[in-house]
Amino acid sequence: MATIGDVARAAGVARSTASYALSGRRSVSDEVRERVRRAARELGYTPNAGARTLATSQTMVIALLARFLPDEFAPAMLQYIQGVSDSALEAGYDILLSSDPYGPAALKRITDSRMADGVVLLNVAEQDDRLPVLRSAPQPGALVGLPGDCTGVDVFDLDFEEAGRAMVEHLDALGHRELILVSQPEHVIERGGAYVWRLQNAALETAAARGVTLHAAYGSSSQPDIGRELHALLEAHPGATGLLLNNEAAAAALPTVMHERALSAPADLSVVGRYSDEFARSFSLPFSSIDAAPHRLGRMAVRQLVRRIEHQPTADGPHVVRLITPELLDRGSTAPPPDRQ
Amino acid sequence: MATIGDVARAAGVARSTASYALSGRRSVSDEVRERVRRAARELGYTPNAGARTLATSQTMVIALLARFLPDEFAPAMLQYIQGVSDSALEAGYDILLSSDPYGPAALKRITDSRMADGVVLLNVAEQDDRLPVLRSAPQPGALVGLPGDCTGVDVFDLDFEEAGRAMVEHLDALGHRELILVSQPEHVIERGGAYVWRLQNAALETAAARGVTLHAAYGSSSQPDIGRELHALLEAHPGATGLLLNNEAAAAALPTVMHERALSAPADLSVVGRYSDEFARSFSLPFSSIDAAPHRLGRMAVRQLVRRIEHQPTADGPHVVRLITPELLDRGSTAPPPDRQ
DNA sequence: GCGAACGTTCGAACCGGTTCGAAGCATAGC
DNA sequence: GCTATGCTTCGAACCGGTTCGAACGTTCGC
């Protein structure tokens, strides 16, 4: 492979001159610049990434720390990755993907060895063991997911409390008086998935304030268990006319369950979910839902990260916690409750 | 950050001695080794990746070239990535993820700038524009997906022809005489998804050889279109008693369609699919299916790649094309056809 | 007692870029 | 005519590792 030395020799100039001619960081005569460029083109010169990094301490790489959790939903996960990937490409960065199943060791190695200019953490838990490592790293970090302590990093997440409120308010406004909320399984909360109770608590509070009955339940994240559980819940609360889903598996199982119970939405039951739009499209979930917007969140995280890396004035300020406002996509699965005498 | 110079100074030795003490590539007295190790530990020394790469021309990085195609199925894609990620971690490699939507430019840049020791290509098409670039790159490459020309790379894929044969044979053996095969949409073939017609042709040939009628159709990859198309197909071929699915969207839509038509498997219709096991688990698709094994394929590709990178004797030989034999997972959705008089 | 052999350590060179300071040279100004 | 100025280019140093050859001191064998 051609080095800049080869290019310089071919163009008959010093290495430094070749470097300046290509980077434009100092002025070079038109004639020399042209000679260097042609030599570079003819030799197929591409700068060696390691050498450049060593000289500039810039890697043009963003580390993406994902966590493949057993009951994390694949479509959402991939959308986060795509969001990060797309916007990194736009900004001229490559992505170092680490799945980090054994705690923060991989993150520490990556930051210490200077393999990346910045770090994006996905699937951030309430108490995330990667956060202390990230805070003491020299690179800036951006999170997708809201941890208990946000100091020193930029944070992006869906506003799950507002989501809980919006779901209840929507059904209350239609006249529903008894609702069921199916959340993720409890072990998701235990490993730090605070968004589950954030949505749930906000929903419970809103329901209480409005005099609406809300039965909150945890559901499995796997099939076919969740199907059985949905049956049991509908059985146990025959007066419920609205169903809120904060559990993708439940959303996937519900159409079949409703078929089996001869229920249809919204005639018999109003349904509102919370999952990614992409997920809804792939599986034809005919339920109105709040878009979890994983692609957008990944994108926001990278953009902010790049701003910080490149020390743009807007980003030198205090760290940001940005919770995006949930939007309810109406797919026609909610309506006023059926009359019951 | 501490450099090896800092470590050497703290231990009172030369930089080279510190390097040898830590790497073990030359013998060093026990006492000095201990001093160097302690100094490294106390200073929190981690070698600078760029510098090491420059010196050794080893990056310990594998490039993963994925392609996020609009109708590629997210669960399968993520499983490929996980398979690659898991086995790279085991082998001590990090992963550089590139999504490369604009053709092979990103691949060329990555290989030319020596950012990786080897390359894994996902979603390889029959005529893949990344292949010429990969062949002329100095790094070895492993593919997931079978291209027209396999020279110079190691190739891993499911044996789709055998899958087509196995599906037809299975239903023929049960006594079915008329089958429907739903493939991916035609534009998937046009962009190089040769596996679609490989499975389809093998199925057609096998059916013809056995005197079985097989209606082959392309289906949409999006909801709710595919649901309508399934209805139409079942309408058009009332005599068909077996359904073969080489289309994930069709598999996702089928339970609802069958409910709507008051059909059940296997009593009214025997169904065999082809998708990843993970996909089947997440959505509780109650159909017997051939496991697409994305995790396993990603794993195989990385292992072979690592063998080649590290010049192990087994890998210096000729390039490998390994098509894994499909296994039909019986979930009880096939049985002899219902009697019709 | 002397040279050979060995184990240990050091210094220097190298990987391939970037960047700083200075030198060379032509032109302008006085 | 001589110095000041500006433009262009060069050489050297540096980033932080690894690795080669040589120097050093000890021990061994004869």
Side-chain angles (χ1 to χ4, degrees), chain A residues 64 66 68 81 95-99, chain B residues 64 81 85 94-97:
Chain A
L64 175 59
F68 297 126
I81 295 179
I95 288 183
L96 192 73
L97 176 71
S98 172
S99 56
Chain B
L64 175 59
I81 296 179
S85 173
D94 285 302
I95 289 183
L96 192 75
L97 177 71

Side-chain angles (χ1 to χ4, degrees), chain B residues 43-185:
Chain B
L43 294 171
Y45 168 71
T46 307
N48 179 298
R52 176 170 277 177
T53 294
L54 185 55
T56 60
S57 33
Q58 278 222 342
T59 62
M60 298 308 284
V61 167
I62 287 173
L64 175 59
L65 276 276
R67 235 163 209 186
F68 297 125
L69 301 168
D71 46 15
E72 203 65 36
F73 235 59
M77 191 60 184
L78 197 70
Q79 285 243 289
Y80 286 122
I81 296 179
Q82 273 193 53
V84 168
S85 173
D86 291 351
S87 33
L89 188 72
E90 277 169 29
Y93 286 78
D94 285 302
I95 289 183
L96 192 75
L97 177 71
S98 172
S99 57
D100 189 11
Y102 306 120
L107 175 58
K108 178 151 181 53
R109 187 175 49 76
I110 288 172
T111 53
D112 279 359
S113 66
R114 298 298 208 285
M115 298 181 75
D117 295 334
V119 178
V120 172
L121 254 49
L122 291 189
N123 261 326
V124 176
E126 175 78 4
Q127 300 283 339
D128 201 296
D129 55 1
R130 298 169 297 180
L131 265 176
V133 175
L134 183 54
R135 284 208 189 87
S136 65
Q139 297 96 340
L143 318 189
V144 177
L146 177 61
D149 177 4
C150 294
T151 55
V153 289
D154 293 307
V155 178
F156 301 87
D157 203 357
L158 182 69
D159 188 337
F160 280 89
E161 297 183 347
E162 187 53 36
R165 264 177 244 127
M167 289 166 123
V168 172
E169 280 169 10
H170 176 73
L171 291 181
D172 177 39
L174 287 168
H176 295 262
R177 313 305 303 157
E178 185 176 351
L179 309 174
I180 303 175
L181 164 63
V182 180
S183 296
Q184 303 265 81

